[in-house]
Amino acid sequence: MFLPKPKSSVLKQLFFVTFQNPILSRANHLYQKLPQQYTQTCNYVDVYMKWKKDSYYESIEHIHKSKELKPILSLKDFIAQNPNGCIPISDVSKRGLQFDVKIKVARFLRQYPSIFEEFVGPKYNLPWFRLTEEAAAINREENKVLEEYKEDLKERLKKFILMSKEKVLPFKIIKGMLWYLGLPEDFLQHQDKNFDSSFRVVELEDGSKGLGVESTKKILSVLQKNAMRKGLYYGEPMEAIEFPLFPSKGLRLRRKIQDWLKEFQKLPYVSPYEDNSHLDPNSDIGEKRVVGLLHEFLSLFVEHSVERKKLLCLKKYFELPQKVHKAFERHPHMFYLSFRNKTCTTILKEAYGDDELAMERHPMAMIRKKYIKLMKESEVILKRRRANNPFLEYKKLDFEMDSVNEERREEEKQ
């Protein structure tokens, strides 16, 4: 027995009653937002997308100088923490690996005369180093910022840990990300001073130590806050939020990719702080969760960028796919990949857009820019020295012999 096919007028009337009735309309809206109502499929069309260089992102100096700045600040901290404010070269000459310095430490320090001042020590004619007045002034300003924004910096670390699967990360993983989060290198060594009641030190299965965070309050991601500010998000579960897109000049996506991206934007947004166990990692919704996680990562970092290889060690703890790097390549309107300095750096485009309210600026960003400006002054000083002494190239110190002489002096002291 077959039921008669309803007329179009009957269907229109049913539709009108459902959506005009506030109770039925609300119930229907909530029903549509349930996770199980979405068919989790992967519709991405895998076609080749040629990388397009963007001169704007290639010219952001504090991003591309960050790698060079890191060992400089490590040595700066080592000198500044000395009670005398200065050190003999023998204190660091054999610690190049510790400071991530690829050449002789003495040679490295002499490359930045605007930051490190060299003088002859009181004994054995050893070269000594101290901070220049300009570097010391920035260092004092840096310490003031670290103290003033201590809670903000700790909150960034908490968010980073809360995005992980178990809300716990090994110390070695956190230590590798301190630079990007803007925290001091010795942050984990001073637990009494830096850890509040929400932090907990745990012992992991392999016997190593880990840091966990306990939090019951709901945390909104940067994307959710911006969407709420614009009236595009109302705080309901599995609500769709579109990622802000910033196409580079001359970059065109294939038609199939454009069509897929339109549908991708309409999918529900799953916050990186929410449970994602109900998601199929191979589905488009699963990919949107991964893209949202990467977006939140970069939002917390100082330069809103990171070396892509640094993310490889995070896959296990954040449930990232094996080929997580593909997410950056598939979303070139959100992320820019720079290949300067013989490495691949991922940059969040939204952080360098016109909307100044979109991204909360990191308190350490301005300090690092000042150090980079000082680094550039070193280039001018060295260039001037070479110009004043055209025979300097032939009078350069043999740093290998310096190292041998230093070792001999140390033996004499003993």
Side-chain angles (χ1 to χ4, degrees), residues 293-356:
L293 180 71
L294 298 173
H295 182 282
E296 189 70 6
F297 272 172
L298 297 175
S299 300
L300 297 175
F301 295 163
V302 179
E303 288 91 11
H304 306 296
S305 64
V306 65
E307 284 187 70
R308 192 172 64 174
K309 63 182 181 181
K310 292 290 184 181
L311 297 174
L312 299 179
C313 63
L314 304 179
K315 290 188 293 186
K316 173 183 174 182
Y317 306 99
F318 292 88
E319 294 184 293
L320 294 173
Q322 188 65 27
K323 296 183 179 179
V324 62
H325 61 278
K326 289 287 185 181
F328 298 121
E329 299 170 6
R330 286 152 70 122
H331 299 276
H333 290 346
M334 288 179 58
F335 309 107
Y336 178 74
L337 296 178
S338 172
F339 295 92
R340 281 185 59 177
N341 303 323
K342 298 179 181 179
T343 187
C344 181
T345 303
T346 302
I347 303 171
L348 181 62
K349 286 186 170 184
E350 185 180 7
Y352 297 93
D354 296 330
D355 187 358
E356 295 183 357

Side-chain angles (χ1 to χ4, degrees), residues 213-246:
V213 174
E214 295 178 351
S215 177
T216 55
K217 66 176 183 179
K218 182 179 180 180
I219 300 177
L220 294 178
S221 67
V222 170
L223 199 66
Q224 288 173 317
K225 289 179 181 178
N226 289 335
M228 190 173 285
R229 175 171 57 89
K230 298 175 182 178
L232 303 174
Y233 174 69
Y234 302 97
E236 295 177 359
M238 298 296 285
E239 190 173 350
I241 300 179
E242 295 188 2
F243 291 109
L245 302 180
F246 300 85

Side-chain angles (χ1 to χ4, degrees), residues 44-224:
Y44 181 78
V45 183
D46 193 6
V47 297
Y48 173 72
M49 286 191 294
K50 186 178 179 180
W51 175 78
K52 180 72 176 178
K53 186 175 181 178
D54 192 319
S55 58
Y56 173 71
Y57 298 104
E58 293 289 341
S59 64
I60 302 176
E61 196 169 48
H62 62 275
I63 290 179
H64 304 292
K65 288 285 188 180
S66 177
K67 187 177 180 180
E68 182 182 351
L69 180 64
K70 189 174 183 293
I72 294 175
L73 296 192
S74 294
L75 283 162
K76 182 268 301 179
D77 290 337
F78 188 83
I79 295 173
Q81 290 168 7
N82 188 284
N84 299 319
C86 57
I87 59 167
I89 188 59
S90 57
D91 281 6
V92 292
S93 60
K94 296 181 180 180
R95 296 187 179 184
L97 189 62
Q98 176 185 335
F99 297 111
D100 196 23
V101 175
K102 305 293 191 298
I103 59 177
K104 294 292 182 182
V105 178
R107 183 182 177 188
F108 182 84
L109 292 168
R110 287 165 182 152
Q111 286 180 345
Y112 303 98
S114 62
I115 300 175
F116 305 108
E117 181 183 350
E118 182 178 359
F119 64 100
V120 178
K123 292 182 179 181
Y124 309 107
N125 291 326
L126 276 174
W128 284 55
F129 290 89
R130 61 190 168 209
L131 299 182
T132 61
E133 292 183 6
E134 295 83 358
I138 300 175
N139 181 65
R140 288 191 294 271
E141 185 179 352
E142 179 184 0
N143 292 333
K144 185 178 178 181
V145 169
L146 287 172
E147 183 62 31
E148 185 177 348
Y149 291 91
K150 180 169 59 177
E151 295 303 319
D152 178 277
L153 296 173
K154 285 197 291 187
E155 192 65 25
R156 290 174 186 267
L157 175 59
K158 289 178 186 178
K159 288 181 177 180
F160 185 72
I161 296 174
L162 286 171
M163 282 189 280
S164 64
K165 181 181 178 181
E166 305 293 340
K167 317 302 181 193
V168 174
L169 288 176
F171 272 24
K172 62 180 180 181
I173 295 295
I174 297 175
K175 187 177 180 181
M177 303 306 294
L178 290 177
W179 171 256
Y180 296 102
L181 291 166
L183 290 163
E185 284 185 339
D186 60 352
F187 179 83
L188 297 175
Q189 298 173 16
H190 304 285
Q191 298 180 12
D192 295 338
K193 181 177 70 173
N194 296 325
F195 293 179
D196 55 36
S197 58
S198 62
F199 287 110
R200 56 188 175 90
V201 178
V202 298
E203 187 169 340
L204 304 177
E205 294 179 355
D206 59 359
S208 62
K209 296 291 184 181
L211 185 62
V213 174
E214 295 178 351
S215 177
T216 55
K217 66 176 183 179
K218 182 179 180 180
I219 300 177
L220 294 178
S221 67
V222 170
L223 199 66
Q224 288 173 317

Side-chain angles (χ1 to χ4, degrees), residues 61 65 114 371-380:
E61 196 169 48
K65 288 285 188 180
S114 62
Y371 279 121
I372 290 171
K373 184 179 179 181
L374 210 54
M375 282 170 52
K376 292 178 68 177
E377 290 182 17
S378 291
E379 298 175 9
V380 177

